[in-house]
Amino acid sequence: MKLTRIEPLADNEITFTFDGKVISAASGDTIAAALLAAGVTATRHTPVNGSARAPFCMMGACYDCLVEIDGVAVQACMTEALPGLQVQRTTLSASIE
Amino acid sequence: MSKVEPAELVIIGAGPAGMAAAITSANYGNRVVLLDEQPSPGGQIYRNVTHSTHLRDKILGTDFQHGRALTSKLKQPQIDYRPNAKVWRVDDDGQICYSIEDKATRITGKQIIIATGALERPVPVPGWTLPGAMTAGAVQILLKSSGLLPTQAVLAGAGPLLYLLAAQMIRAGVPPLAIVETQQRRDYISAARYLPVAMGNWPLLGKGLRLLAEIRRAGTPRYTTANNIKITGSSDVQGIQFSSSGKHHEIECNCVLLHQGVVPNTQISRLLRLTHSWHPQQHCFVPNTVAHGKTDNPIFQIAGDGAGISGALAAEHQGKLCALNALQQLGAADQTIIETEQSVTLKQLNREHRARPFLDTLYAPPTEALAPASDTIICRCEEVTAGAIRQQIPKGCTGPNQTKAFSRCGMGPCQGRYCGLTVTEILARENALAHDEVGAYRIRAPIKPVTVSELASLHE
Amino acid sequence: MEPEYAIIGGGIVGLSVAHGLLALGKRVAVYDEGDNGIRASRGNFGLIWVQGNGLNLPAYSLWTRRSAAAWRDFADEIEQQCNTRLNLKQEGGFRYCLNEDELADVAEQYRGLAAQTGDDYPFEVLGHNALRHEEPNIGPNVAGATLHHEDGHVNPLALLRSLATLVRQQGGQIFNSITIDKITRSNSKYALFSGKHELARAQHVVLCSGIGNRTLGPSLGFKASVRPQRGQVLITEKTAPLMRRPSDVIRQVDEGGVQIGASAEEVGTDDRDSLAITAQLAAEAQQLFPALSNVNIVRGWGALRIMSPDGLPIYQHSKTHPGAFFVTCHSGITLAAAHAKFLPLWIVGHSDAPDLECFSEDRFETHPN
């Protein structure tokens, strides 16, 4: 999915990292918005079947946009993208047993 | 551990209903605590309205800008507005647990107004879990909060929001590739009989017609009477397939925006074990309320779309009415003044309700979205298909809770928000039972996940 | 066709007994409540637990161990016939102790029990370091644990679902969403009523309806001394493997979530959860496994255990109503194998029937209610 910004980033730009990769975002973006804007397709893979997922509802209801910050799973759509934040993909892979 | 903070009136949710309730309460000199999950007030409808830009205002239109009429009145000493507050537990004695920045806190309200609004109805079509498939509301949120829009999107489903979003995308210069509309000819016929009453809210209908004209002028393709919608792609969205007027269509795109209207967010009312009833016209469960918001529990009222879908303007009136009820309960305002304001607000509310049956009937969700084909995933969290639900039925599942135990459907972090209605619908159809007989998931705390340490921090 | 055995209650206990009776060639019908019935079978902890059982009655220790020993065959049979997985693991389980004194006390109790049951009680006492070797994520404040090698766990919901499938496969009938509220005896048969409607007749009736036995039991000559006891449980999001073995208060389930539990409250039939108890459970879990601190809890619930006055099962053949049986316990998962394989022999009066005399209601003086 490709998104476009209707307004230029200008001096509004901040950066954070996602799995070590630098992501540029507008100040005030949620992590979910910033990842989508940066062209990240799958933001996680499910622990059940390993299927690719990305933000879906953007309002904190579906839990499909889970990412990890400091080892805690958080909703990317409910978390502001702050400068310097280190965000990781959730580490849990499918089939735990 | 922190003490429980006592409060007279607590409102959960700062959308139109919650904001109107807070403002009304403050107008009577009554202090109110307003808890909201988002960093700024407005709810989803007026999301980020306090930080909007000139360009976004222009694209989103005057209905959106109206939100500032409410947000501007929140800055007063009587309103203790607490943003970023995630409510994760509510008990029937009025105790609310919420977290701000992962710190858990408790507050107890003598009166509580639940104004948690609506969720988009789940639209479980093949491929709806692929990256690139989102709800139409999600993209509106991206537009409102970040000025972001998808460049190659197809809008699919039914309902006023679909046209609103299409028009907004057109205004932004990023029009959708197409609109795939699922309402059928019979929906127009069924809706026609509600049209005369709906004319009582002419401004609303007029707006709808202007949106359609705007879309027509832009030349955005509209595929009507569509069905058999399927989103294609293996690791992300590559296109959409559907039938329209009897012909098969395929459109290449990397984004599909789904919408079949909105339904009440009943997580808190279910958690409180308040009674609910099936709303046949809106195809969803609605908490039972009397006198515009009063529930089975005298502490709790429900305002806005959470009490049944009526839209943003109606939510404002409902919020006001709930606040007046609460003030009455608290003995915090003069009875005759309250009654006068109640009757004025009721008239405004009734006007807002007039177009509802028409819209609900015209944009009724199609069967394929309500009870999808067996290979379609309905529980996004546990990846359970409609077929897996149907397989539980011969094992004796007549309701969603045994079905959940047997299939894991609804056991994930979303707590059944995106599969609950589908499971009820499938069971109702397969067992030939009424929706009220089938019932709904039991909802348990925490209604939003909290870490073990957050919960442990409240141990005495 | 009229069932020979009508089983009241379609939870783990009722279905285990039904499965066993069907295997003995009996015609069986099970009557089960609806979606919102009080169901211990849907809220339990999934343990097949031996250690500490029967400290007050060694015969109970032997009974649970007999069931635990039969569980592997029981699970294999179900998995094969239902083409499913129960994820049974019987590789031992821990009872954690937060201080040395508690650990010494527990070990002493187990040694006493071992002495009373033929010195065959395979448990070990692990101090902190030994425990840490077994459970690397264990918290620094845990003094140690007893490890009983016969303990284990299973997916209890998969068991419930599979038993419902298996009983039907065996030719048993299961009637769902039916509340039997009256049973009468006429012409040496039992008539089952729901409201005013007589639903069926059967030669024998087996009450396995948990707390429902309290209502139905007295009319069939039982003391029916059972009461609900609430337990609260939390479950976390799926997480990386954090613990190797289950314990009586915490275990990692086969799907990846961590289940936290083991509270006990006397609150009647209120099956809600409470902040006070769930917060306490979270605090205790965090102490046992500090790495859990950052893990999200996705759900909590309350469920009702079915308790007799001494906490042990009740197996009773009615003295006034021949052919009427009363079956109850609070550990339906542990005892499922025994209820499927041995209890039915006792119900049909087989010569190989286990001696269940010590679980008779005779041990209770009067009706407690």
Side-chain angles (χ1 to χ4, degrees), chain B residues 19-43:
Chain B
M19 290 193 291
I23 294 161
T24 304
S25 175
N27 285 346
Y28 284 87
N30 202 63
R31 192 177 166 274
V32 53
V33 175
L34 176 59
L35 301 174
D36 190 64
E37 218 176 9
Q38 293 296 333
S40 63

Side-chain angles (χ1 to χ4, degrees), chain C residues 84-134:
Chain C
T84 188
R85 292 186 62 184
L86 300 181
N87 288 318
L88 172 69
K89 276 192 179 165
Q90 290 180 291
E91 294 160 3
F94 292 115
R95 173 167 167 184
Y96 297 120
C97 295
L98 289 176
N99 62 64
E100 304 286 350
D101 290 347
E102 187 193 346
L103 185 60
D105 280 354
V106 172
E108 190 52 39
Q109 286 174 357
Y110 290 5
R111 278 191 283 271
L113 185 57
Q116 291 177 72
T117 53
D119 273 333
D120 164 35
Y121 197 66
F123 80 102
E124 288 176 56
V125 182
L126 308 185
H128 179 81
N129 290 337
L131 176 58
R132 193 169 201 88
H133 185 74
E134 296 293 323

Side-chain angles (χ1 to χ4, degrees), chain A residues 1-7 12 26 28-30 32-34 36-37 41-44 46-64 66 72-75 77-78 80, chain B residues 37-38 44 47 53 55-56 59 118-119 128-135 138 141-143 145-152 172 174 235-236 254-255 377 380-383 413-414 417-418 448-449 451:
Chain A
M1 178 164 69
K2 190 171 170 348
L3 297 177
T4 184
R5 284 192 191 274
I6 60 170
E7 292 139 345
N12 211 10
D29 278 354
T30 60
L36 289 171
T41 311
T43 53
R44 72 173 182 123
T46 62
V48 179
N49 290 328
S51 23
R53 291 293 169 86
F56 176 73
C57 79
M58 291 301 292
M59 55 182 282
C62 77
Y63 289 81
D64 256 327
L66 291 172
V72 183
V74 299
Q75 291 173 289
C77 77
M78 299 292 286
E80 192 181 343
Chain B
E37 218 176 9
Q38 293 296 333
Q44 304 309 332
R47 181 90 178 246
T53 61
L55 178 61
R56 286 182 215 174
I59 292 167
L119 296 169
W128 74 310
T129 56
L130 287 170
M134 298 180 86
T135 69
I141 291 166
L142 282 168
L143 172 61
S145 56
S146 291
L148 285 166
L149 281 173
T151 55
Q152 284 182 55
V174 198
S235 57
D236 63 346
N254 57 26
C255 176
I377 285 179
R380 301 175 63 92
C381 298
E382 293 289 333
E383 301 184 62
C414 100
R417 285 170 173 85
Y418 279 98
K448 295 220 151 183
T451 62

